Amino acid sequence: MNRWIEIFIVSLKLGLTSFGGPVAHLGYFYEEYVKRRKWVDEKAYADLVALCQFLPGPASSQVGMGIGLVRGGVVGAIVSFIGFTLPSSILLILFAVLATEFDLKEAGFIHGLKLVAVAIVADAVLGMGTKLAVGPKRLFLMLLALAGVLLIAHPLAQVGVLLLAAVLGLFLFKDEPESGGGLNIRVPKWLSISALILFIVLLVVTPFLAANAAGNLQLTSIMYSAGALVFGGGHVVLPFLQQSLVPDFLTGDSFLAGYAAAQAVPGPLFTFATYLGTVVNGLMGGILATLAIFLPGFLLVLGVLPFWDRVRGNKQVGRMLIGVNAAVVGILLAALYDPIFTSSVKTGVDFLIAFGLFCLLRFYKQSPLRIVILGTVIGSIMGWF
């Protein structure tokens, strides 16, 4: 019990202070879990990060779950998830209530938040592209994914291009160096197999429910599919949710305002689902949406960990992962264009502001929180004139 309390307190502290997105979160985790508390060593941490980058879902949250699993078993993983996710979920519920109670559609700060979203996603595209889409082969896969997502207007289009990129990666990256290493985490095989079975069953069932159900059941089904089918973390889930929810469940302006607000809070970007669920179906919708979008990642961590050494050592899997990572950049670039840029930048002044915010974020190393505050202030001032 004391160990679970400790896990909750440490993860809650990280949930309150971890600004900057998934990559920054991994840095916070490294400082806290590896260097300070020594709950895992550097090799085990690196292997866990590699695993979670390969799996669909929120990578940084999955790393936190994995460390909680090492420290306190299945309950430790659950407690770690709650602590890291709770602060941003509460803040986004409050923002959603504010946006619902008052007509914020024409508010100047909403427009400012939409321009912030342009800057932040552009920074994510550039940062990921310089690491994952370098060289003619990776660039080709990035452009292929970009074309596929833009030309095929369907939530599952990105899944198709990722599978295609994985297959092509088998043939394009035969000479790439492979990395390996062990991950010393013990999970009962019966539990891992049960988690994988549940993951697959829900993955098969939820698309039918998303298409034919109503209310919270339909919303929960959409969120589970998003968490189960999206690679690349919080930014990449944006086009899936946008295509699934806008305009049937909420307006595009409300969607982008919530996405920008999610940048202002610490913790996982997947809690954007908390805001969406609250806007659509109130507090219960927010809670169910949060649990549904994180559940696939949790089941995959439990299901894959015991078999990770074997999978990680497979050269074919390594080549597929290279292709998938390059395609993720293309999917993110497509999201930057539509819906973010097309619905936010209407004038030359809008472009100037968005580009200025991007420069502050990228080249002047300002924190995302400062960018959000500045964008909100600029948008409010513009709304007065």
Side-chain angles (χ1 to χ4, degrees), residues 115-125 235 259-260 263 358 361 368 371-372:
L115 296 178
V116 168
V118 175
I120 290 178
V121 177
D123 179 66
V125 170
H235 293 292
Y259 177 73
Q263 314 294 325
F358 166 78
L361 184 65
I371 299 301
V372 169

Side-chain angles (χ1 to χ4, degrees), residues 20-84:
V23 175
H25 297 165
L26 296 178
Y28 287 109
F29 288 174
Y30 176 81
E31 292 293 329
E32 186 69 29
Y33 292 134
V34 180
K35 293 184 66 176
R36 183 178 178 188
R37 298 186 179 272
K38 304 186 186 302
W39 286 1
V40 293
D41 60 28
E42 295 199 18
K43 184 174 181 299
Y45 182 74
D47 287 341
L48 183 59
V49 170
L51 167 62
C52 296
Q53 294 288 352
F54 176 75
L55 298 175
S60 60
S61 294
Q62 288 169 306
V63 171
M65 294 173 192
I67 293 175
L69 190 65
V70 174
R71 185 68 176 171
V74 176
V75 175
I78 296 173
V79 168
S80 177
F81 157 72
I82 294 173
F84 186 58

Side-chain angles (χ1 to χ4, degrees), residues 241 270 366:
L241 292 176
F270 262 51
Q366 297 299 305

Side-chain angles (χ1 to χ4, degrees), residues 225-262:
S225 296
L229 297 175
V230 171
F231 290 80
H235 293 292
V236 185
V237 80
L238 181 69
F240 189 105
L241 292 176
Q242 187 267 339
Q243 292 173 6
S244 300
L245 298 174
V246 177
D248 295 335
F249 292 87
L250 73 167
T251 66
D253 285 345
S254 180
F255 180 89
L256 286 175
Y259 177 73

